Amino acid sequence: MKNNSISTLVRENILKLQPYISFRDHNEFNAPVFLDANESPFGDCNRYPDSTQRKLKNRLAELKNLSPSQIAVGNGSDELIDLIIKIFCEPKKDSVLMMNPSFAMYAFYATINENKVLTLDLNDRFEIVQNDFSEVVKDPSLKVFFLCSPNNPTGNSVDDIEFYLQNFKGIVVVDEAYIEFSGKKSSLELLDRYPNLIVLQTFSKAWGAAGARAGIAYASEEIIRLINTVKAPYNVNVLSQELILKALENENRLQENVNNILEERLWLQEQFRDIDCISKVFPTDANFFLIRMENIDQVYGRMLENEILTSRRDPAIAGCIRINVGSREENQKLVNLLKNIKR
Ligand SMILES: *Cc1c(COP(=O)(O)O)cnc(C)c1O
């Protein structure tokens, strides 16, 4: 896809939209007196946040070897999913494509925006069937394809992402919420070659900051400009921006946490081998397992009674529960309970 063809994918009203510009965020000052935004001079968090999230983007740009103009920050990647659909999909006319099963928020926001959701049913190893893809992409209403890799809730990564970038005529969003756990290469390195690519990452999983609500979109400058134009100006609050910046100061901490989760993942996998009520543990590249149970009603019920919360995927995925890797103490509680359930 040629760079200049991105604008042909954008809704007309969005193309014409002028961004809300906060004057103070777009200029340098030495000792400013802020009487421009009707804020209070008192209080602990009295100023509006930086609408351009400059410090955060500069730091991320440094880490990822990109330009700050290729980075947009959202109130979680959920917000970015919503904005991407709003930018490219005309309500009641355009549609989005997603894998099935995959992350529910793509369909959630598409439905709110009145866009149809077309799905690619994954095979029994949770892979995309490329023939099905080649068929469905003939639909001219398709604008955005959400590729989740590693995929939630199945845990496996998508192979051959470039094939989809080359053969989808709209925007391809690669959602890398779990990439840190996968040991696989990020699609960030494909940004130079594919102007229709958006890579989503998040602080909610490996970074351990789900409460701060911060997600990142990496894409061409043109797409990032569009996201910055449609986002709420103050979408990431002061406290969250500070917390994330602090987290970014300490990259080693991220690696330590990821290593810890990976060790626990391995430990759990070994424990699961001796558990009667488990019939299958699917391979995972993420911080969770999709597990098929012998008797899901019984197992899920027993977990709930013991206040062990997991994500039931049955009936959409027959007999399956998604369970994420916790601390050793949490994992031990889970294992103890499962070992006590007879099939
Ligand atoms: C958890 C998750 C996210 C993260 O969403 P945030 O809004 O950033 O918390 C995004 N995509 C997928 C597939 C997820 O599982």
Side-chain angles (χ1 to χ4, degrees):
M1 173 175 281
K2 295 251 160 44
N3 215 338
N4 55 16
S5 56
I6 291 295
S7 60
T8 64
L9 294 170
V10 179
R11 288 170 63 197
E12 242 178 81
N13 61 322
I14 303 288
L15 268 184
K16 287 188 209 142
L17 196 65
Q18 292 300 316
Y20 173 89
I21 302 266
S22 162
F23 183 80
R24 72 163 77 150
D25 293 340
H26 286 83
N27 292 277
E28 293 287 338
F29 305 98
N30 292 321
V33 176
F34 287 133
L35 300 176
D36 57 332
N38 296 348
E39 299 154 332
S40 170
F42 316 117
D44 291 333
C45 197
N46 59 327
R47 298 295 174 195
Y48 280 106
D50 174 9
S51 61
T52 68
Q53 300 127 351
R54 188 172 48 92
K55 285 186 191 160
L56 242 173
K57 286 181 192 170
N58 285 345
R59 179 73 183 117
L60 285 167
E62 202 174 81
L63 282 177
K64 305 288 181 178
N65 209 5
L66 292 165
S67 151
S69 58
Q70 291 175 284
I71 303 172
V73 187
N75 193 293
S77 28
D78 279 5
E79 183 192 24
L80 297 165
I81 292 164
D82 183 27
L83 297 180
I84 290 164
I85 291 170
K86 281 180 181 158
I87 290 167
F88 296 104
C89 297
E90 193 69 53
K92 299 188 179 177
K93 185 166 162 254
D94 295 331
S95 44
V96 308
L97 180 63
M98 63 180 284
M99 310 185 289
N100 178 42
S102 190
F103 190 44
M105 295 319 258
Y106 313 136
F108 177 76
Y109 288 117
T111 304
I112 290 173
N113 203 47
E114 296 195 74
N115 300 115
K116 206 158 68 171
V117 180
L118 306 187
T119 52
L120 282 170
D121 290 337
L122 304 178
N123 68 17
D124 56 6
R125 280 159 43 194
F126 299 124
E127 298 156 338
I128 298 174
V129 181
Q130 288 204 349
N131 281 340
D132 293 353
F133 171 80
S134 303
E135 272 307 306
V136 78
V137 291
K138 291 175 185 162
D139 188 322
S141 73
L142 280 177
K143 285 291 179 62
V144 181
F145 181 18
F146 289 99
L147 262 179
C148 189
S149 184
N151 186 33
N152 178 5
T154 60
N156 58 319
S157 301
V158 176
D159 291 327
D160 207 0
I161 283 174
E162 278 195 81
F163 170 82
Y164 303 104
L165 283 161
Q166 283 161 4
N167 292 288
F168 189 77
K169 290 189 177 61
I171 300 295
V172 177
V173 179
V174 180
D175 186 340
E176 296 188 334
Y178 302 97
I179 192 78
E180 294 91 345
F181 304 108
S182 74
K184 301 260 156 88
K185 268 196 181 162
S186 163
S187 289
L188 284 178
E189 63 171 30
L190 302 174
L191 280 176
D192 283 346
R193 280 162 36 226
Y194 297 97
N196 59 334
L197 169 63
I198 302 176
V199 178
L200 294 183
Q201 294 186 357
T202 180
F203 286 94
S204 297
K205 308 288 158 60
W207 285 94
R213 310 305 302 124
I216 315 293
Y218 300 97
S220 66
E221 281 188 24
E222 188 178 5
I223 291 176
I224 293 303
R225 210 175 305 121
L226 288 160
I227 294 176
N228 287 334
T229 300
V230 300
K231 79 176 182 69
Y234 305 115
N235 60 331
V236 185
N237 71 62
V238 169
L239 303 176
S240 294
Q241 290 195 44
E242 282 172 2
L243 185 137
I244 300 295
L245 261 173
K246 215 176 207 171
L248 283 168
E249 273 171 21
N250 195 347
E251 243 191 309
N252 294 338
R253 177 85 179 282
L254 169 73
Q255 206 45 58
E256 277 165 34
N257 290 347
V258 168
N259 290 345
N260 185 305
I261 296 291
L262 293 181
E263 276 169 32
E264 285 301 309
R265 187 174 82 182
L266 200 62
W267 182 81
L268 271 174
Q269 203 154 20
E270 279 159 13
Q271 302 295 312
F272 288 158
R273 287 206 187 102
D274 312 323
I275 292 178
D276 281 349
C277 63
I278 290 178
S279 68
K280 187 173 173 69
V281 178
F282 289 93
T284 183
D285 285 332
N287 65 338
F288 59 81
F289 289 97
L290 188 70
I291 300 177
R292 181 158 285 140
M293 299 294 177
E294 291 290 341
N295 181 344
I296 182 148
D297 289 329
Q298 182 202 14
V299 174
Y300 190 69
R302 284 290 295 282
M303 289 199 292
L304 275 190
E305 277 167 29
N306 286 273
E307 300 195 336
I308 294 178
L309 306 188
T310 59
S311 178
R312 182 176 174 144
R313 295 287 133 173
D314 176 275
I317 314 176
C320 285
I321 299 180
R322 192 196 65 201
I323 302 180
N324 77 262
V325 179
S327 65
R328 174 58 61 91
E329 193 189 346
E330 293 167 331
N331 299 335
Q332 187 73 64
K333 278 187 187 163
L334 170 77
V335 166
N336 290 349
L337 176 74
L338 291 178
K339 283 189 170 166
N340 267 318
I341 300 176
K342 298 284 165 266
R343 43 196 300 188

